[in-house]
C-alpha cells in the first residue's frame, strides 16, 4: 500500500505494529521512522523491548528537523536559533517602538518578545508572509487590526534582517519540502510518521513523502469514543490522504474503502479491567504525593516502569521533590529551565543592571555570589556594617563613611568592589554597539575567570550531591558564549545603549532552554499532563485531577486572541485556535492515560485550605473506564501512612488511659521512628492525652549562681525562665543598629525627666514658675543623648528622624509641664533621681545583692514614694505583682525601707504620653498624666500628695484615688488606688520574697519554657525558644471581698 | 419551583431583578434559567456572561451548570450533540468572578489603555510590600515639609512615623474604592462645598435628635400626668419647654443655649414613693443622662451657636485635610509607578483599568454585542465602581440581577446596598422590566424563620434601613405552623419556638471559680429559656481546692508545672459546650443534608458563628477541655510563629553567620546542641558576642586550657565542625537555589518535620510550615536569600494567612459570620451576641464618599483640639452605616441554621424600647437588636 493509517490506544501498541511492519520490509527497503524528539530514544528502546531481538535491523529514527538538516547543511547559511530570533524581535521592537500602534513601549517586558516570535513562527509555518498578513488584516475588526499590523511590521523587519543571511526553523521545513521534490533517492524508503502536531508546512512535507517515497504509514492516536473529543490533526491528515487519492466516509472514519489506503486499528480490546484503574481522593497535595510514593514502594516494580503525571506541575514540583527525596525514590522531572533561571546568569544580569539601577541589596548578592574572591568573614562584616549604618543607594559611594572600629577588615571589600564597579561602569558606558558591549562583557568574564568559577561551583554542587544542577551548570558557559556569538553575528554592528543591551540580552537568556537527561535509567518519570508524551508504563499515577487544573485550559487572552486567530484561520489558514489548543491538551492527557497498564487517578480535597472538587473530566473518565456505567464508584480515601496523624486522631477518641498507653507503646516499637526526637514526640502526644509518661527530662537543669542580680533580670525570669536563661545565661546579643529605635525614645524621655529632677534638687525647689526652663532641659538632654538639635546622630541624617525628634521634644515638654503641675499641688519633694539601690538579701542558699535604679524618689517628712517613668500603657495590677513580672516598684520600696528607714507610702508609674486634650474638657494636663499605682488609704498621706482635694473636688487628678468628705474623710473603693498599710507591707514583703525565690530557682537551674500568658508574643527570643503559646502560666487572684460576699 | 421562580426562569425578553431572601433558592433559579436558555437555543454559552463575587462561587456555578446540562441530556437524548458542545464550551465561558472578568478584559484590550499584556496580578502580600516601599519614599520626600511636621504632631507620632503612615495607607485604601479618586480629592479640597454639606448634615441630625427627645418627653409627660407624680411633673414640663425652643434648627437657635447654663435640672423624688414612680424616675434619669451627653457633643460641634467659630475651626482643620490629600495623592502615584515598573496590577487596578477600557466605545460595542445574556449574582455586594463597570456592558433587556439587600455585609469594602435598592425601585416602575421577590425559604425550620421574622419586623424598618422587612421581606408561607398551634390559628408573635431557638445570656459579672448561672432578664416569655450550668455539671474546682491553691500560690508560682494555677472564668464557650452535649445526651436526631434521612447528630453538624476571629480561642479552649473536636480558620501571621521564626533564623545564619540569635537557633535546631553545651560555650570562652566565641572554637583560637574543660570541649569542637560544614553546604545551596528549595533541603535533611510533629499541636505546626513554603513559591523575592530576608524584615505583614486548625472531619466548625455567608448548617450557634459592636473610634481624620474628609481642629501651640462639623458629621454617618451593617450581619447569622439555632452572649443593659429609628441606631449589640424587639 502506498498510504497506511495506524490507529492505536497505547502508543506502545502502535510502535510494536510499526516495528513488525519494518521488520518485514527491512531487506527490501530503507525504513525511516519520523517521530517527535521526545520519542527518539524511547522508540528505539521499545523496539528492542518488544521485538526481543538482540541486534538492530536497518532503520533510522529521526525527526522532521533532523531530516531537514541533511539538506540544509549544504546551503552553508547560518542557522538562526530561537533565542537569536527572540533577541532580534526584542531589538526590532525597541527600535520601532514609536511607530507601533498598540504594541508600544509598555510591551517591552518579560516574555513579550518570545510571544511575538512564536507568533511569527506560527505564521511562517502556516506559510503566511508579512504581505499576506496585511492582506488578511484588511477584513478584521478595528481592535484586532492595529495589533496585527504591528506584528506585521515586526514580522516584515524580522524577515528583512534575516533574509539571505540566516535561516530559521520555519525556513527549514520549506527547504525540506522543496528539496524532497527533487530527491529521488527516497523512492526506495518506507516512512513511518508519528507527528501529534501537523502544521501546514509539515503537511506539505508529508505530501511530498507520499508522492516520492515507496510508502508512508501515519500513526494516529485513537482517542476514546467520548464525543467531546474532536481532533483537528486527524481531519487535516484525512484531507491530505483524500487529496492524494484516498477516500473515506466521514461519518464512519474507521472504515476506509479506498484501495490505496489501508487502515489498521491497533487497539487493546479490554482497555482496562475494573481493578486496574483506581480513583482516589486525598486530603491535600502532600498526602497525594506521599501515597504515590507508598504505592510505588509497595508495588515493588522497577522505578522506570512508573510514571507520575501531574496536572499542574509547578504547584506540585516542590512537594514531589521533597517527598520523593524523603522516600529515596529516584525520579526525573521533565521540565525545562531557561538560562535566565540559573543563578550565575542572574548575577551576570545584575552586574549590568546595577550600572543603571544601583541597589545595595543587589550588591550584597553579587558580593556573596563568589564571583570575586572575598573572604567569607569579611563579607559578613560588610553586611553588618551596611545594616548598622543604614547604608543605601544614596550614600554608598559617599567619601566620608562612618568610622567603625569593629569593621576594619572588610574595608577591602568596600574599596575593591567600588573600584571594580567603577571600572566596569566606565567600560560599559564607552560602548556604542552590541559588538562592543559583548567584547567588554567577555573581557570582564575572562578577567574574573567566570568559566572556572562556574566549574568550581559545579564541583561544589557535586559535593553536596546536586548532580542535576551541576549538569545544568556545565552547560552554562558554552550556551552563554553561543548566545553572545549569535547576538554579535546578527546585531554586532548595530548601535545601542546599556539599558537596551540589557533588555535584549535578558530576552535572549530567557529563551535559551536548558535541560538535563535523567541521571539514571531506573527512575520514576514525572511530567506535566498536558504536554508530556508518555510511552508505556506499567503504573501511571495521575495526580492533581481537580477541577480547574485537569486539564489546564488556556483562557482566551493571549497576545493574539481566539477571535483574531479564528479570523486569520479562515483568511490565511492558520491553526489552531485557543479552543483547539485546549482540545489538544485534553487529547494529549487522554492519550497519555492510555499508555499504561495500571492507572491511578487522584485529586486533593483541599489545596492550601481551599476546597477542591474532582475534575469533570475525571468523573467522565470514571464513567468511561468503569464497566457498569450507572454505578457510581466512590472515591477511595487513601490514608497517608502517617502514624502520628492517626495517633492524633486517636487522641480525641481514646478516653481510657490504658488504651492510650498501649497505643503509645505500639508507636514506640515502630522501627521507622528511631530518631532521638521520638521521645519528644511521644511527649507531645502524652500531653495531649493528659498522661504522665516517665520520659527522661527534656530540659536539663543548668544551675547559675547570682551574686548580683537586677530586678529586671528577675522579672524576665518570671516572664519565662527560659527567656532569662537565653538572655542572661547565654548572653545573646543583637548586633548594634544605629538607627533610631523606640527604646531610644524611652531613654530620651527618662533623660529629660532626670534632668528636670536634678535641676529641682540643685535649686532646692519643688517646682518652677518659668516654663521656659523646659526648652533648655530638652535641648540639653538632646545633646547628652548624642543628638544635636538637628536630630543628627553619627553621620546618618534622615529627615524622618528629625521629625520624630522634633515631636519628641514637644511631648517631653508636655511631660515636664505635667510633672511641674503635679509637684505644685504636692507636699512631696523630689529627693533623688536615678537613685542606685544595693540591698543584700539571702535566699536561703546564698547571699545575693539586689541591684537597680529608681527613676525618682519623693519624700515628705518620713514618708517615701517612688515613681517609675513608663512609655508603655501598662497599669499596675496585683496579678502582675503576684506572678513576679512587675515586682520592681515594691522591691525598691522595700530596699528604701530597709536601707534608709523611710516609711513607704506609694509606688507609681508615670505614663509618658503625648496628649492633645479636648478644648471643652478640663484644660489641665493633670488628668491625662495621673499617676498609676498604689498608695496608703490614709487621709494625711492622700492630702499630702494632692493638696487640691476638697469637698468640691473629691476626685484626684494626680493619684488614683477618689474620696468623699461628706461624712468625714472616706476613700471610694471603686477606684483601685488605695490600700491599707498592712496590704502595702504585704506587697513589699511579697515582692522581696518572690525575688528571693526567683534567685533560688535560677540557682537550682530551672530553665523551663513556660511563658506567662502572652509573654511569648513579644519575646525577641521566641525564635530560639520554639514553643507555641499554649503552655502558658496564668495566675488569677481572688479578690478577698468578692469571695466573702459569695460565701 | 414556585410561581415566582418559574417566572424568573421564563422571562428572557426583559431585564429581571430579583430580591431573594436567604435560602430561597436564588442560585438554583439562576442556573435553571441559564440551562433553559441554552436548551432552547437562545444563545451559545459563549454569549453568556455570568458574574459572581467570588471565585469559588463561579466554580460552583459552572459545576452546577454542567450537572444540570448533563441531567438534561439524560432526560432527552436528542439534545446530546447540542448540549455536549455547550458543556465543552463552558470551560472557557465567561462564568467568572468580577475580578477575573476584568482581568480578561484587560488582557484582551490592553492596548486601549497601554498596559503590558504580560502583566501579573499581585496579591496582598506583594502589593503590601510595594505599598510599604512607596510609602517610605513618600515619607522621605515630604519629611522636609512643615505641614508634614504639623501633621505628625497632630497625630502624636513619636516612636516611628507609624500613625501618619497608617493614616495615609488607610486613606489610600479608601480612595481605591472610589470611582475617580482624583476628582474625589479635588472635591475634598474644595473648602466651601464640604463645609455646607457637612453643616447641613449635622443640623438635620440635630433636628432628628431633638425631635426624638421631644417625643420621649411627651411620652413621659403623659404618663406622669396620668399618674399625677408631683415632682416629676415639674421636671418633664421643663424639658418639654426646652425642646420647644427649637423650631427651625438654625445656628441662631443654638445660640440660645448659651444662656442655659445648667440646662435640664433633675430633682429627685423623695424616698418612700411608690415603686412605679421610682422606676419611672430611674428610666427618666438614664434617658436624661444620655441626652445630656449627646447634646453637649452637638453643642460643642456648633460652638454653642457661634457660626464664626464653627467656620474658623473648620478652616483650621482644612489645612490638614488639604495636606493629607496631597500626600496621599503622591503616595498613590508612587505606588502606581512601582507597579508599572514591575508590570503588575493589583485588584484595584483590575477594576479601574477595565472601566477605562470599557469607556472606549468600540470595545463597549463589541462586548455588548457579544453578551446576549448577562446575569449577576449577589448583586447587593456591588460597590459604586463595580456598578459603574457593569453599566457599560449591560444592555436594556438582557440583564438578570439577583441579590438580597438584607445580606449586604461588605460595607467595609464600600459595597453599597443602596445601588441594589435603587435598582429594584427603578425596575418596579418600569413596565418593560421585571422585579420579583422570592420570599420563601427552603432551608430553615419554620419556627426559626418565625423567630427571624419576629426579630426583623421590628428592627429592619424602611425609614432606618431602607429595607421594608415587615411588608416586603418577611419569610412567607409559614401559615401551616400558625395553624398547628393548639389546633387554632394563633398570632405569629405567640408562636413558641423554644425547642428550636434558644437564647443564653451570661450574667454580667462573672466571678472566677464561681460557676455562672445563665439567665435571662427582661425577655419576652416566648424566647425565654433558662439554662443553668450548675444543673448538670460539676464545677471542676471545688471551693476547697481554690482555697488551697490560694495559700500556696505566693511561693510557688513557678514551682511545679503540674500544680500550675490555671483558672479561667466560665464563658460563652462553656455554654456552647453544654448546649452541644445536650444534643448527644438527649440523643436528638436531625435530618442529614445529603441523605435527607433522620440520624444522630454529629459534631460536624454544629457551627459556631462569631462576629470576629478574636473570640475563636475562647471557644476552642472550652471545646478542647471537653474533648470536642474543633476546626477553625484563623488569621495568623506566619512570620511571627516561633517555629517559623526558628526556620527563618537558620536562613539568617546561613546568610550571615555573625548574628547571635540566628546562630544559636541554628546550633540548637540543626546542630543538635543542647542548652547545657551552649551555656558552657557562652561561659567558658571569652568574647563579647556569642558568635565570636563560636568562631574562636571553630578556628581553634579559644583559650581553654584546663584539662577538665578541654575534654568537654573536644566533644563540642567536633560537633561544631560538623555544624560548620553543614552551614557551608547550605551557603553553596543558597547561592544556587531558590529560598524555597533551600528551606526544603534544610527541613528534609534535619528531620524538622518530625521534630515539629513531636511538639504539642505538632500537626498544626507542620501545616503552617507547609503553608509558609507555599507562600514563598513563585514570589519575586524567592530568588535570592538576601532579598527574601530583607523583605521579611521590612514587611512582616506579608505573611498573614488564613489558617485552619487540623482536626478530624467530624468536628465543630468555628467561623465568622462573613465566611458563613451562602452556607447552611444543621445547628447554628451564634456567639458573642452581647458583645458591643466594634464601631470605628473617633479619630482625627474621617472620610466618606458623600461628605468627603473631615479632620479635627488641632491647635498645636496650646495642644488642644476642637471638634469640627465635618469630622463629626462624617463620624456620625459612618457609625450609622456600621450599625445598619451589623443588623444585616445578624440577619445572615440567623438565617444559616436548618434545624436549630442558639444565641449566646453576655448580659446587656437595655436602653429602653425601640420606638423609633433614633434609638434603633443606638443599639450596640446583637442582643439589643433581638431583645429589644420584644
Amino acid at each position: 500500500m502506498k498510504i497506511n493509517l495506524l490507529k492505536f490506544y497505547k502508543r506502545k501498541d502502535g510502535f510494536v505494529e510499526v516495528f513488525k511492519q519494518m521488520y518485514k520490509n527491512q531487506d527490501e527497503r530503507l525504513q525511516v521512522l519520523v517521530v517527535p524528539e521526545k520519542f527518539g530514544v524511547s522508540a528505539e528502546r521499545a523496539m528492542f523491548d518488544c521485538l526481543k531481538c538482540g541486534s538492530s535491523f536497518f532503520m533510522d529514527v529521526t525527526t522532521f528537523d533532523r531530516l531537514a538538516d541533511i539538506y540544509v547543511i549544504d546551503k552553508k547559511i547560518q542557522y538562526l536559533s530561537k533565542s537569536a530570533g527572540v533577541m532580534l524581535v526584542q531589538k526590532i521592537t525597541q527600535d520601532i517602538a514609536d511607530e507601533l500602534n498598540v504594541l508600544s513601549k509598555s510591551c517591552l517586558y518579560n516574555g513579550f518578545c518570545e510571544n511575538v516570535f512564536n507568533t511569527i513562527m506560527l505564521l511562517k509555518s502556516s506559510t503566511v508572509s508579512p504581505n499576506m498578513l496585511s492582506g488578511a488584516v484588511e477584513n478584521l475588526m478595528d481592535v484586532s487590526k492595529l495589533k496585527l499590523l504591528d506584528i506585521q511590521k515586526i514580522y516584515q523587519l524580522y524577515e528583512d534582517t534575516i533574509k539571505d543571511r540566516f535561516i530559521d526553523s520555519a525556513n527549514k521545513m520549506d527547504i525540506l519540502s522543496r528539496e524532497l521534490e527533487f530527491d529521488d533517492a527516497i523512492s526506495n524508503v518506507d516512512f513511518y510518521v508519528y507527528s501529534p502536531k501537523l502544521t501546514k508546512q509539515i503537511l506539505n512535507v508529508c505530501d511530498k513523502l507520499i508522492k516520492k517515497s515507496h510508502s508512508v504509514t501515519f500513526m494516529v492516536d485513537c482517542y476514546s469514543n467520548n464525543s467531546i473529543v474532536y481532533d483537528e490533526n486527524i481531519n487535516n491528515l484525512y484531507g491530505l490522504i483524500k487529496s492524494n487519492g484516498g477516500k473515506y466516509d466521514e461519518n464512519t472514519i474507521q472504515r476506509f474503502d479506498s484501495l490505496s489506503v489501508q487502515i489498521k486499528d491497533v487497539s487493546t480490546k479490554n482497555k482496562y479491567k475494573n481493578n486496574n484503574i483506581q480513583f482516589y481522593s486525598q486530603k491535600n497535595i502532600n498526602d497525594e504525593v506521599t501515597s504515590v510514593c507508598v504505592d510505588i514502594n509497595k508495588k515493588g516494580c522497577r522505578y522506570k516502569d512508573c510514571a507520575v503525571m501531574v496536572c499542574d506541575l509547578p504547584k506540585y514540583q516542590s512537594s514531589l521533590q521533597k517527598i520523593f527525596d524523603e522516600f529515596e525514590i529516584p525520579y526525573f522531572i521533565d521540565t525545562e529551565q531557561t538560562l535566565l533561571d540559573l543563578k550565575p546568569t542572574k548575577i551576570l544580569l545584575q552586574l549590568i543592571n546595577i550600572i543603571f539601577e544601583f541597589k545595595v541589596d543587589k550588591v550584597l548578592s553579587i558580593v556573596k555570589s563568589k564571583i570575586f574572591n572575598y573572604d567569607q568573614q569579611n563579607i559578613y562584616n560588610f553586611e553588618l556594617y551596611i545594616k548598622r549604618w543604614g547604608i543605601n543607594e544614596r550614600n554608598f559611594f559617599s567619601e566620608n563613611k562612618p568610622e567603625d572600629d569593629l569593621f576594619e577588615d572588610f574595608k577591602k571589600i568596600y574599596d575593591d568592589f567600588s573600584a571594580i564597579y567603577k571600572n566596569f561602569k566606565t567600560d560599559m558606558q564607552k560602548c556604542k554597539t552590541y559588538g562592543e558591549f559583548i567584547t567588554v562583557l567577555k573581557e570582564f568574564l575572562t578577567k574574573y575567570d567566570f568559566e572556572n568559577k562556574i566549574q568550581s561551583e559545579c564541583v561544589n554542587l557535586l559535593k553536596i550531591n546536586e548532580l542535576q544542577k551541576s549538569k545544568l551548570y556545565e552547560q552554562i558557559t558554552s550556551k552563554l558564549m553561543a548566545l553572545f556569538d549569535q547576538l554579535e553575528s546578527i546585531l554586532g554592528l548595530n548601535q545601542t545603549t546599556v539599558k537596551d543591551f540589557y533588555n535584549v540580552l535578558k530576552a535572549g537568556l530567557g529563551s535559551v532552554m536548558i535541560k538535563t537527561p535523567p541521571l539514571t535509567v531506573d527512575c520514576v518519570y514525572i511530567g506535566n499532563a498536558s504536554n508530556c508524551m508518555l510511552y508505556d508504563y506499567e503504573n501511571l499515577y495521575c495526580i492533581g485531577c481537580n477541577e480547574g487544573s485537569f486539564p489546564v485550559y488556556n483562557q482566551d487572552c493571549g497576545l493574539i486572541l481566539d477571535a483574531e486567530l479564528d479570523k486569520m484561520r479562515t483568511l490565511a489558514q492558520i491553526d489552531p485556535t485557543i479552543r483547539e489548543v485546549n482540545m489538544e491538551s485534553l487529547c494529549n492527557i487522554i492519550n497519555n492515560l492510555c499508555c499504561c497498564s495500571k492507572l491511578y487517578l487522584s485529586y486533593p480535597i483541599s489545596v492550601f485550605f481551599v476546597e477542591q472538587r474532582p475534575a469533570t473530566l475525571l468523573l467522565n473518565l470514571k464513567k468511561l473506564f468503569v464497566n457498569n456505567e450507572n454505578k457510581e464508584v466512590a472515591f477511595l480515601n487513601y490514608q497517608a501512612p502517617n502514624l502520628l496523624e492517626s495517633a492524633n486522631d486517636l487522641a480525641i477518641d481514646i478516653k481510657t488511659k490504658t488504651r492510650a498507653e498501649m497505643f503509645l507503646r505500639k508507636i514506640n516499637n515502630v522501627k521507622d521512628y528511631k530518631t532521638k526526637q521520638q521521645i519528644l514526640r511521644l511527649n507531645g502526644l502524652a500531653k495531649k492525652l493528659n498522661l504522665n509518661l516517665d520520659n527522661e527530662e527534656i530540659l536539663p537543669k543548668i544551675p547559675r549562681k547570682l551574686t548580683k542580680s537586677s530586678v529586671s533580670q528577675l522579672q524576665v525570669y518570671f516572664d519565662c525562665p527560659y527567656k532569662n536563661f537565653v538572655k542572661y545565661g547565654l548572653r545573646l546579643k543583637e548586633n548594634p543598629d544605629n538607627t533610631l529605635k523606640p527604646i531610644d525614645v524611652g531613654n530620651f524621655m527618662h533623660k529629660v525627666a532626670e534632668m528636670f529632677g536634678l535641676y529641682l534638687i540643685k535649686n532646692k525647689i519643688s517646682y518652677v514658675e518659668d516654663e521656659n526652663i523646659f526648652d533648655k532641659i530638652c535641648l540639653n538632654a538632646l545633646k547628652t543623648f548624642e543628638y544635636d538639635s538637628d536630630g543628627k546622630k553619627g553621620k546618618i541624617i534622615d529627615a524622618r528622624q528629625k521629625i520624630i525628634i522634633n515631636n519628641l521634644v514637644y511631648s517631653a515638654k508636655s511631660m515636664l509641664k505635667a510633672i511641674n503641675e503635679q509637684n505644685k499641688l504636692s507636699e512631696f519633694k523630689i529627693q533623688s533621681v536615678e537613685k542606685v539601690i544595693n540591698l543584700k538579701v539571702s535566699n536561703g542558699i546564698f547571699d545575693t545583692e539586689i541591684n537597680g535604679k529608681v527613676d525618682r524618689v519623693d519624700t515628705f517628712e518620713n514618708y517615701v514614694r517612688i515613681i517609675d517613668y513608663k512609655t508603655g500603657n501598662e497599669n499596675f495590677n496585683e496579678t502582675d505583682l503576684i506572678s513576679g513580672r512587675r515586682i520592681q516598684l515594691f522591691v525598691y520600696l522595700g530596699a528604701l525601707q530597709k536601707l534608709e528607714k523611710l516609711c513607704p507610702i506609694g509606688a507609681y508609674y508615670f505614663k509618658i504620653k503625648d496628649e492633645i486634650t479636648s478644648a471643652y474638657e478640663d484644660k489641665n494636663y493633670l488628668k491625662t498624666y495621673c499617676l498609676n499605682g498604689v498608695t496608703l488609704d490614709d487621709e494625711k498621706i492622700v492630702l499630702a500628695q494632692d493638696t487640691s482635694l476638697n469637698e468640691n473636688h473629691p476626685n484626684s487628678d494626680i493619684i488614683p484615688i477618689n474620696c468623699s468628705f461628706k461624712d468625714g474623710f472616706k476613700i471610694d473603693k471603686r477606684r483601685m488606688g488605695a490600700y491599707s498599710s498592712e496590704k502595702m507591707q504585704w506587697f513589699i514583703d511579697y515582692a522581696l520574697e518572690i525575688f528571693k525565690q526567683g534567685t533560688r530557682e535560677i540557682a537550682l537551674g530551672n530553665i523551663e519554657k513556660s511563658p506567662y500568658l502572652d509573654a511569648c508574643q513579644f519575646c525577641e527570643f521566641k525564635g530560639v525558644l520554639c514553643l507555641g503559646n499554649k503552655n502558658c502560666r496564668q495566675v488569677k487572684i481572688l479578690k478577698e471581698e468578692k469571695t466573702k460576699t459569695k460565701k | 419551583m414556585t410561581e415566582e421562580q418559574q417566572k424568573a426562569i421564563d422571562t428572557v425578553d426583559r431585564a429581571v431583578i430579583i430580591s431573594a431572601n436567604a435560602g430561597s433558592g436564588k442560585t438554583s433559579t439562576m442556573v435553571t434559567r441559564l440551562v433553559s436558555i441554552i436548551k432552547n437555543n437562545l444563545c451559545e454559552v459563549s454569549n453568556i456572561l455570568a458574574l459572581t463575587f467570588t471565585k469559588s462561587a463561579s466554580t460552583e456555578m459552572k459545576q452546577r451548570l454542567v450537572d444540570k446540562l448533563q441531567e438534561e441530556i439524560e432526560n432527552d437524548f436528542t439534545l446530546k450533540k447540542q448540549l455536549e458542545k455547550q458543556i465543552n464550551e463552558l470551560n472557557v465561558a465567561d462564568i467568572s468572578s468580577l475580578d477575573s472578568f476584568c482581568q480578561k478584559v484587560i488582557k484582551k484590550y490592553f492596548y486601549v489603555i497601554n498596559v503590558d499584556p504580560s502583566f501579573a496580578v499581585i496579591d496582598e502580600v506583594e502589593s503590601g510590600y510595594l505599598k510599604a516601599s512607596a510609602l517610605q519614599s513618600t515619607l522621605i520626600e515630604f519629611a522636609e515639609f512643615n505641614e508634614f511636621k504639623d501633621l505628625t504632631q497632630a497625630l502624636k507620632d513619636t516612636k516611628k512615623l507609624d500613625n501618619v503612615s497608617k493614616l495615609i495607607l488607610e486613606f489610600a485604601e479608601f480612595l481605591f474604592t472610589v470611582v475617580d479618586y482624583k476628582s474625589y480629592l479635588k472635591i475634598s479640597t474644595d473648602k466651601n462645598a464640604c463645609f455646607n454639606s457637612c453643616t447641613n448634615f449635622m443640623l438635620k441630625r440635630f433636628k432628628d435628635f431633638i425631635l426624638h427627645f421631644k417625643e420621649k418627653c411627651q411620652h413621659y409627660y403623659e404618663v406622669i400626668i396620668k399618674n399625677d407624680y408631683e415632682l416629676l411633673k415639674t421636671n418633664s414640663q421643663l424639658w418639654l419647654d426646652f425642646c420647644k425652643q427649637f423650631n427651625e434648627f438654625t445656628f441662631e437657635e443654638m445660640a440660645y443655649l448659651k444662656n442655659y447654663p445648667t440646662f435640664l435640672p433633675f430633682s429627685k423624688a423623695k424616698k418612700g414613693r411608690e415603686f412605679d414612680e421610682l422606676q419611672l424616675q430611674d428610666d427618666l434619669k438614664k434617658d436624661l443622662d444620655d441626652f445630656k451627653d449627646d447634646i453637649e457633643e452637638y453643642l460643642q460641634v456648633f460652638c454653642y451657636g457661634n457660626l464664626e467659630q464653627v467656620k474658623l475651626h473648620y478652616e483650621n482643620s482644612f489645612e490638614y485635610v488639604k495636606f493629607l490629600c496631597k500626600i496621599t495623592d503622591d503616595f498613590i502615584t508612587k505606588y502606581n509607578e512601582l507597579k508599572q515598573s514591575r508590570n503588575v496590577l493589583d485588584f484595584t487596578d483590575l477594576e479601574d483599568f477595565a472601566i477605562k477600557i470599557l469607556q472606549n466605545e468600540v470595545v463597549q460595542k463589541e462586548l455588548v454585542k457579544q453578551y446576549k445574556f448577562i446575569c449577576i449574582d449577589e448583586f447587593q455586594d456591588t460597590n459604586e465602581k463595580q456598578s459603574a463597570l457593569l453599566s457599560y456592558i449591560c444592555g436594556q433587556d438582557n440583564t438578570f440581577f439577583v441579590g438580597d439587600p438584607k445580606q449586604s455585609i461588605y460595607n467595609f469594602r464600600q459595597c453599597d446596598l443602596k445601588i441594589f435598592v435603587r435598582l429594584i425601585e427603578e425596575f418596579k416602575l418600569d413596565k418593560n422590566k421585571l422585579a420579583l421577590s422570592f420570599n420563601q425559604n427552603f432551608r430553615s425550620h419554620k419556627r426559626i424563620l418565625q423567630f427571624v421574622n419576629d426579630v426583623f419586623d421590628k428592627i429592619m424598618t424602611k425609614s432606618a434601613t431602607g429595607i421594608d422587612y415587615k411588608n416586603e421581606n418577611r419569610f412567607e408561607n409559614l401559615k401551616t405552623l400558625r395553624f398547628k398551634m393548639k389546633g387554632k390559628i394563633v398570632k405569629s408573635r405567640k408562636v413558641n419556638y423554644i425547642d428550636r431557638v434558644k437564647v443564653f445570656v451570661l450574667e454580667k459579672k462573672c466571678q472566677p471559680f464561681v460557676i455562672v448561672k445563665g439567665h435571662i432578664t427582661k425577655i419576652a416569655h416566648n424566647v425565654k429559656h433558662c439554662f443553668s450550668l450548675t444543673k448538670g455539671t460539676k464545677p471542676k474546682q471545688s471551693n476547697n481546692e481554690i482555697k488551697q491553691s490560694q495559700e500556696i500560690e505566693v511561693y510557688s508560682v513557678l514551682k511545679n508545672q503540674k500544680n500550675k494555677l490555671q483558672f479561667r472564668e466560665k464563658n460563652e464557650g462553656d455554654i456552647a459546650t453544654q448546649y452541644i452535649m445536650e444534643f448527644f445526651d438527649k440523643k436528638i436526631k436531625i435530618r442529614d443534608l445529603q441523605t435527607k434521612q433522620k440520624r444522630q447528630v454529629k459534631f460536624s453538624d454544629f457551627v459556631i458563628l462569631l462576629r470576629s476571629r478574636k473570640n475563636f480561642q475562647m471557644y476552642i479552649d472550652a471545646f478542647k477541655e471537653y474533648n470536642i473536636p474543633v476546626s477553625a480558620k484563623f488569621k495568623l501571621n506566619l512570620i511571627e510563629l516561633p517555629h517559623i521564626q526558628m526556620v527563618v533564623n537558620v536562613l539568617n545564619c546561613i546568610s550571615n553567620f555573625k548574628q547571635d540569635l540566628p546562630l544559636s537557633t541554628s546550633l540548637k535546631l540543626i546542630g543538635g546542641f543542647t542548652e547545657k553545651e551552649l551555656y558552657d560555650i557562652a561561659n567558658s570562652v571569652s568574647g563579647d558576642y556569642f558568635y565570636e566565641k563560636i568562631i574562636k572554637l571553630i578556628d581553634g583560637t579559644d583559650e581553654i586550657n584546663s584539662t577538665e574543660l578541654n575534654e568537654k570541649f573536644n566533644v563540642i569542637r567536633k560537633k561544631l565542625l560538623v555544624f560548620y560544614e553543614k552551614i557551608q553546604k547550605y551557603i553553596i545551596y543558597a547561592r544556587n537555589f531558590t529560598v524555597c528549595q533551600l528551606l526544603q533541603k534544610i527541613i528534609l535533611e534535619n528531620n524538622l518535620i518530625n521534630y515539629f510533629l513531636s511538639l504539642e499541636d505538632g500537626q498544626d505546626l507542620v501545616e503552617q510550615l507547609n503553608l509558609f513554603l507555599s507562600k514563598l513559591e513563585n514570589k519575586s523575592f524567592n530568588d535570592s536569600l538576601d532579598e527574601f530576608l530583607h523583605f521579611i524584615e521590612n514587611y512582616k505583614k506579608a505573611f498573614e494567612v488564613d489558617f485552619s486548625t487540623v482536626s478530624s472531619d467530624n468536628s465543630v466548625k468555628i467561623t465568622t459570620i462573613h465566611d458563613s455567608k451562602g452556607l447552611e448548617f444543621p445547628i447554628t450557634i451564634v456567639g458573642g451576641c452581647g458583645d458591643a459592636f466594634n464601631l470605628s473610634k473617633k479619630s482625627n481624620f474621617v472620610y466618606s464618599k458623600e461628605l468627603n474628609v473631615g479632620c479635627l481642629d488641632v491647635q498645636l501651640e496650646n495642644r488642644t483640639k476642637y471638634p469640627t462639623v465635618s469630622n463629626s458629621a462624617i463620624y456620625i454617618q459612618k457609625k450609622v452605616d456600621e450599625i445598619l451593617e451589623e443588623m444585616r450581619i445578624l440577619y445572615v447569622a440567623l438565617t444559616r441554621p436548618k434545624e436549630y439555632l442558639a444565641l449566646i452572649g453576655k448580659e446587656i443593659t437595655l436602653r429602653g424600647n425601640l420606638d423609633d429609628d433614633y434609638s434603633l441606631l443606638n443599639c450596640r449589640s446583637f442582643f439589643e437588636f433581638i431583645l429589644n424587639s420584644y
Side-chain angles (χ1 to χ4, degrees), chain B residues 832-839 924-925:
Chain B
C833 292
D835 295 352
F837 299 142
N838 189 12
L839 304 176
R924 287 295 176 272
S925 66

Side-chain angles (χ1 to χ4, degrees), chain A residues 143 227 318 343 346 368 457 466 473 613 704 722 731 800 804 810 914 993 1022-1023 1026 1034, chain B residues 63 84 111 136 153 156 158 555 561 565 640 646 655 658 675 679 683 733 736 777 783 863:
Chain A
V143 280
S227 66
S318 56
K343 284 280 171 98
K346 261 183 199 159
K368 283 187 180 177
E457 200 67 4
E466 284 297 333
Y473 273 36
R613 51 166 82 243
R704 284 173 284 156
Y722 196 80
R731 279 173 286 168
R800 286 169 296 172
I804 293 173
Y810 267 96
D914 192 12
E993 209 51 55
K1022 74 175 161 189
C1026 183
Q1034 193 176 17
Chain B
Q63 185 58 40
E84 269 184 349
Y111 48 87
Q136 281 312 311
Q153 246 195 69
K156 299 184 288 181
T158 47
Y555 292 117
Q561 274 283 300
L565 305 172
E640 303 211 319
M646 281 185 101
S655 167
K658 292 190 171 181
E675 274 80 3
Y679 183 72
N683 291 288
Y733 223 91
N736 297 304
E777 278 170 29
D783 265 348
R863 301 182 80 72

